[in-house]
Amino acid sequence: MALGGVGAASADTRWWTAVAERPWAAAVFLAFGAVALGWLSTGPGRGWRPVLARLRLRMFGNPLAATATAGGDGGPVPVAASVELLERSRAWETAVPLIRSGLLEHWEEDGWRILHYAGARHDAGCDCERPVSVVFALDATADLDRPLGQAIRVSVVDQETERVLTAELLGR
């Protein structure tokens, strides 16, 4: 898009005149653009994602650079990056039917970032929904560029009995 804008700004003739003078070149350029747009809209394959991510970081810089410390270790990862990493994980996909709120609170403990959500589970005994807390723990240094294997732990706690629920108690 940027290259097209630069080309249009520096052109001597209007685009429709250039197309009329060189229809084959215009057709090739249009076909190339359509293929590139199709490839980008379907999402580049796994092999291209790291390459494009590095290119984006090289061109625009690290969006988390404002949080970097003087030591160069990148400092703490913002909570929003942890939430985004969580929401792309299988742990989130597994627990999302229970979650009924946005992020309620978060804290860090022993190198883990703890994220707390409110939820509800169906109780077959009373044919009602019981309130639960859904708690995720993920590596506090993991972010979208360095997921570190996405080691994410999830626990579901019944709010009335304060008992950690297992898959059997959740009805799965």
Side-chain angles (χ1 to χ4, degrees), residues 21-43:
E21 290 174 356
R22 293 180 224 101
W24 287 105
V28 168
F29 182 76
L30 185 63
F32 175 76
V35 168
L37 180 63
W39 180 69
L40 288 172
S41 65
T42 60

Side-chain angles (χ1 to χ4, degrees), residues 2-172:
L3 288 175
V6 169
S10 62
D12 298 347
T13 61
R14 293 189 169 88
W15 69 268
W16 52 86
T17 307
V19 168
E21 290 174 356
R22 293 180 224 101
W24 287 105
V28 168
F29 182 76
L30 185 63
F32 175 76
V35 168
L37 180 63
W39 180 69
L40 288 172
S41 65
T42 60
R46 285 187 176 267
W48 281 95
R49 288 183 188 141
V51 173
L52 293 175
R54 282 193 298 271
L55 178 64
R56 183 198 72 210
L57 288 173
R58 199 170 295 137
M59 289 176 63
F60 302 111
N62 189 340
L64 306 178
T67 63
T69 61
D73 64 355
V77 174
V79 175
S82 295
V83 170
E84 188 172 349
L85 180 65
L86 170 65
E87 290 177 353
R88 293 180 179 189
S89 72
R90 289 190 183 208
W92 178 264
E93 290 176 14
T94 303
V96 77
L98 302 172
I99 297 172
R100 302 289 190 268
S101 74
L103 180 63
L104 297 177
E105 60 182 330
H106 62 88
W107 64 93
E108 291 188 27
E109 187 172 315
D110 296 329
W112 292 91
R113 176 162 285 157
I114 313 297
L115 305 170
H116 173 230
Y117 294 82
R121 72 170 179 98
H122 181 74
D123 188 357
C126 67
D127 196 32
C128 61
E129 285 198 341
R130 294 179 56 104
V132 295
S133 291
V134 183
V135 181
F136 296 94
L138 59 147
D139 188 324
T141 61
D143 64 20
L144 296 174
D145 293 326
R146 306 176 324 243
L148 301 178
Q150 294 188 4
I152 299 174
R153 314 257 191 271
V154 60
S155 296
V156 180
V157 180
D158 188 298
Q159 287 185 355
E160 294 174 7
T161 63
E162 295 184 2
R163 190 170 72 165
V164 177
L165 302 176
T166 61
E168 295 82 32
L169 293 173
L170 289 171
R172 296 186 177 180

